[in-house]
Every structure is written in structure tokens, then in C-alpha cells.
Amino acid sequence: MISKKILLAASLLISSSIALPAFSADLVCNLNVKNGGSVFGNGTNRCGGLDFSFGNSTSGSWEITNITKSIDRINWIKGCSSGLYCSVTVRAYSANQAEAYIHYVDGSIEYLEGSMFYETGH
């Protein structure tokens, strides 16, 4: 009986130490193209679009969503400067990337990244 309790306790201890933290936050992009253009991937971490405005840029946004744990702070590396949301100017034919580290109150850290691509008729 004692050996069963020891075996059960050991297996619970091992399985709890193997469990990985469940991260659930998402970094999502939303790209706005000019009238008559098309967009793919809005609401995901990879979005892109095409229009024939012959401009050099359009607008977009980055947002961190689906957060289920308490946040201590967010460190943006690229994309935004602070907060959970920002509007950005998306340059045509350029790297429009975002990277952020979420530092949670429980001490865990989550890395998020995404990219937007915009093409125009020029």
C-alpha cells in the first residue's frame, strides 16, 4: 500500500514538472488597402494586401489579443512602442514586422511575432 502511494506521488510530481505553460496570447495584424484592393490574413499574425493606388504606403494595426493571464509588462521590439494596440503606416514592398515579449505576473514570458506585406501598382 505504501509503495503504491509513493509511486502515485512520484508520478504526479514528474507529470506536473513536465507540463509546459499554456500561452494563449495572439499578435494580430489588420491591413487596410485602398478601394478595389484585396487583403488576406487580417486577424492573424501574417497579413498582406494588394491595391492599385500607386501609393507608397497604407495604414494598418497591430493588436495583442486573447490574453488569459495577468500581464506585468509588454516589451515591444518592433511594430508598436507600448500598449496592446497601435496603428502603423505600412510601407509598400518593405518589411513591416512586429515583435513583442509579454512578461506575465507569474514570471513567465511569451514571445509574439508577425508581419504585414503590402503591394501597390507602382
Side-chain angles (χ1 to χ4, degrees), residues 5-114:
K5 287 182 181 179
I6 292 172
L7 184 58
L8 179 60
S11 66
L12 288 174
L13 182 62
I14 290 170
S15 66
S16 66
S17 65
I18 292 175
L20 299 174
F23 295 122
S24 61
D26 295 310
L27 176 63
V28 298
C29 58
N30 285 292
L31 184 64
N32 306 307
V33 297
K34 310 297 189 292
N35 287 338
S38 62
V39 175
F40 63 89
N42 273 355
T44 69
N45 71 330
R46 304 254 185 269
C47 60
L50 168 68
D51 66 34
F52 296 100
S53 65
F54 300 97
N56 293 324
S57 64
T58 191
S59 64
S61 65
W62 292 108
E63 183 175 10
I64 298 175
T65 63
N66 297 325
I67 300 167
T68 59
K69 297 178 1 175
S70 296
I71 296 174
D72 179 38
R73 67 186 183 282
I74 299 173
N75 291 342
W76 285 94
I77 308 303
K78 296 177 185 174
C80 298
S81 58
S82 65
L84 296 174
Y85 174 89
C86 70
S87 295
V88 294
T89 299
V90 182
R91 303 279 177 214
Y93 307 104
S94 298
N96 296 282
Q97 299 175 319
E99 294 180 52
Y101 287 95
I102 302 175
H103 297 260
Y104 293 103
V105 172
D106 67 6
S108 60
I109 300 172
E110 183 174 9
Y111 173 75
L112 302 172
E113 58 87 26

